[in-house]
Amino acid sequence: QVQLVESGGGLVQAGGSLRLSCAASRRTFSNYAMGWFRQAPGKEREFVTAISRSGGTTYYADSVKRRFTISRDNARNTVYLQMNSLKPEDTAVYYCAAAPVAGYNDALVDERWYNYWGQGTQVTVSS
């Protein structure tokens, strides 16, 4: 069992930045590829970004490329999401998730690979 706890959400103006963190409970954190997903009101949950278990390979949705950066610190059992140039359409609940795979192919965009999820953190971007 892996418990994931997100933090760092909040209210920010358009053009601003936020950094989300996701802390994992398990010392085998490095065995999991990690992903961030988001769900806006009235919409389905969507893929945002993912990172392989080593941290060497990353994937991004087109909508966040060159604005968001995913990273991980396996020594701290934590994955991060740096969000810059935020837009009102980025407003959503952001979830981190863990997949028990290496993460070296773009299957990570599919949430069915993930079997552990955090509770989510709200990000609101005002115009």
Side-chain angles (χ1 to χ4, degrees), residues 13-102:
Q13 288 189 332
S17 298
L18 280 175
R19 188 194 196 202
L20 305 184
S21 298
C22 173
S25 63
R26 194 157 175 169
R27 281 178 283 182
T28 55
F29 173 73
S30 60
N31 288 346
Y32 294 83
M34 299 296 295
W36 287 94
F37 291 76
R38 66 186 181 186
Q39 187 167 23
K43 295 187 177 182
E44 292 187 353
R45 189 161 59 190
E46 65 175 3
F47 170 79
V48 177
T49 181
I51 189 167
S52 62
R53 61 187 183 191
S54 70
T57 303
T58 56
Y59 305 93
Y60 294 92
D62 288 343
S63 60
V64 306
K65 279 181 181 175
R66 293 176 293 280
R67 299 189 299 122
F68 290 11
T69 302
I70 189 171
S71 61
R72 66 189 295 162
D73 185 339
N74 285 346
R76 297 178 183 270
N77 292 353
T78 303
V79 62
Y80 304 97
L81 179 59
Q82 178 67 44
M83 304 185 294
N84 298 328
S85 302
L86 282 161
K87 305 175 181 180
E89 51 263 44
D90 294 318
T91 295
V93 176
Y94 283 70
Y95 300 90
C96 73
V101 296

